[in-house]
Amino acid sequence: MGRDAFPVVFDGHNDVLLRLGVPDGGGPGAFFERGDQGHLDLPRAQEGGFGGGIFAVWVPSPKVPPSERTPRGLPPVLDAAYALRRSMAAIATLFKIEDRSGGKFRVVRTTAELQRCLNEGIMPAVLHLEGADAIDTNLDTLHVLYRAGLRSLGLVWGRPNAFAEGVAVHFQRSPDTGPGLTEAGRRLVRACNDLRIVIDVSHLNEKGFWDVAELTDAPLVASHSNAYALCASTRNLTDPQLEAIAASDGIVGLNFAVNFLREDAAREASTPLEVMVRQIDYLVEKVGIDRVGFGSDFDGVLISQEIGDVSGLPRLMSALRDRGYDDPALRKLAHENWVRVLRKTWGE
Ligand SMILES: [Zn+2]
């Protein structure tokens, strides 16, 4: 690695499937063209040293009048058929990208496959559901999606489902916003442990987090959340949560959303990189240099204009190097920690 080269990034969360899947999103073909919309496509990823990542399948909530929101102000539980149909469309987009990539992009199911792709300059993609809304309580869908390649599952997005409840995004409020896991949620955690699917606690409320922490036998993974101590958002992790993640030898992926980074939670594109570096410093102090990675949320959130899109990742790496993170530390943050946690959860 030369002085100017940075280690390849394996990123814990992006929403490119959502961006490509909307009516004017361009579909799978747009992933191969250098765009000026959004954050992530293959040409810009190659410029920025984004080697691969966890690709989220997320189902938007239909617009409903305030009277149909839950008592805690969340969008209502999704219709199961709608959730499944939208999820299938996003998963199909992921596989079409793989099919059209000429071998440059691969949906990976094992750690060995992931590592080989990173070594050979092929982009590894991990199939992730951001919310178990499409999964039935018999868990049949879980088993079928596992066969299709599902290796990571967020129990919730910011709404309730049959398994748990997510947080609404609030500032200067505790993430302890609602009930913990349902009985079906507890069965889902055990089933994920049996299948060795990563359980992602980002978006989960605090009671749900502690239920997962007590039940799971896998490292705790918060794919795209930051430190509550520096930005008091319900989407971030309190110090006791960070301690539990450290004790489980899990990982926190830094979310690039400016409103989850800044002390005032403002949605300001002019947010300096310094704010991201400060969050990394704090997370490293709390959970250790072996348990922090990136969970950019590219194509899902407002990020600093100093990064702009995935092609700007070297500017973050450069800021971290200037702060004193040496090459071994940068390799851990960039990809080694994610690979280790996935290996611990999936096996080889
Ligand atoms: Zn998210």
Side-chain angles (χ1 to χ4, degrees):
M1 187 164 57
R3 276 311 302 167
D4 296 327
F6 292 113
V8 66
V9 169
F10 180 87
D11 177 63
H13 192 90
N14 76 71
D15 283 316
V16 70
L17 298 177
L18 171 74
R19 182 170 66 82
L20 299 175
V22 300
D24 293 322
F31 188 71
F32 301 101
E33 291 157 24
R34 194 184 195 291
D36 53 11
Q37 301 296 308
H39 301 140
L40 177 61
D41 52 45
L42 189 60
R44 284 184 286 178
Q46 287 167 339
E47 280 176 45
F50 175 106
I54 299 179
F55 284 61
V57 167
W58 177 70
V59 180
S61 280
K63 281 234 176 314
V64 296
S67 61
E68 285 178 36
R69 294 178 86 89
T70 73
R72 282 182 285 279
L74 300 167
V77 175
L78 290 184
D79 172 72
Y82 164 82
L84 189 58
R85 179 166 51 80
R86 292 291 301 246
S87 298
M88 287 297 145
I91 295 169
T93 298
L94 181 70
F95 288 129
K96 285 175 192 170
I97 291 171
E98 181 177 38
D99 291 347
R100 296 180 192 183
S101 72
K104 293 199 187 93
F105 180 99
R106 190 170 302 156
V107 180
V108 297
R109 294 161 176 81
T110 67
T111 322
E113 211 181 355
L114 191 162
Q115 188 67 65
R116 187 161 43 80
C117 285
L118 285 180
N119 294 345
E120 294 176 3
I122 297 165
M123 183 179 287
V126 174
L127 171 56
H128 167 80
L129 288 194
E130 185 167 21
D133 312 77
I135 292 173
D136 62 281
T137 52
N138 288 331
L139 309 184
D140 294 332
T141 323
L142 181 78
H143 284 268
V144 173
L145 288 178
Y146 176 78
R147 293 294 183 102
L150 182 73
R151 291 295 179 274
S152 175
L153 173 69
L155 298 186
V156 287
W157 181 69
R159 63 193 162 217
N161 62 28
F163 306 101
E165 186 171 303
V167 291
V169 177
H170 288 297
F171 183 54
Q172 291 177 332
R173 288 252 297 271
S174 158
D176 188 8
T177 58
L181 303 190
T182 64
E183 194 44 49
R186 306 173 81 82
R187 282 191 284 111
L188 179 58
V189 168
R190 288 184 210 107
C192 286
N193 282 168
D194 289 346
L195 290 168
R196 309 186 79 161
I197 295 173
V198 167
I199 299 161
D200 184 357
V201 298
S202 285
H203 287 284
L204 203 50
N205 65 27
E206 195 173 352
K207 285 196 176 68
F209 174 97
W210 291 115
D211 285 346
V212 171
E214 188 191 309
L215 279 167
T216 186
D217 61 19
L220 289 171
V221 171
S223 69
H224 60 306
S225 295
N226 298 330
Y228 185 89
L230 297 189
C231 173
S233 169
T234 48
R235 274 284 285 105
N236 287 339
L237 299 155
T238 64
D239 285 351
Q241 288 179 309
L242 291 173
E243 282 157 25
I245 289 170
S248 77
D249 197 19
I251 191 166
V252 181
L254 183 80
N255 192 317
F256 293 8
V258 290
N259 52 310
F260 300 150
L261 289 163
R262 296 168 59 104
E263 292 199 4
D264 64 0
R267 291 177 192 265
E268 292 283 351
S270 60
T271 300
L273 287 182
E274 166 64 21
V275 177
M276 302 177 79
V277 174
R278 211 180 306 148
Q279 279 275 358
I280 291 272
D281 285 347
Y282 188 86
L283 291 171
V284 166
E285 182 193 317
K286 284 290 165 185
V287 303
I289 187 65
D290 293 314
R291 300 182 194 92
V292 181
F294 300 140
S296 66
D297 224 340
F298 282 138
D299 283 327
V301 295
L302 179 69
I303 70 174
S304 165
Q305 64 197 20
E306 287 190 38
I307 294 186
D309 60 29
V310 64
S311 69
L313 272 176
R315 290 193 281 278
L316 174 60
M317 298 300 284
S318 186
L320 290 167
R321 178 177 279 164
D322 290 347
R323 180 64 146 223
Y325 291 91
D326 60 9
D327 286 344
L330 291 178
R331 278 197 300 275
K332 289 178 181 190
L333 296 171
H335 63 267
E336 284 180 354
N337 293 342
W338 266 118
V339 173
R340 187 197 78 252
V341 167
L342 294 176
R343 182 179 287 116
K344 274 189 94 162
T345 309
W346 298 348
E348 288 298 315

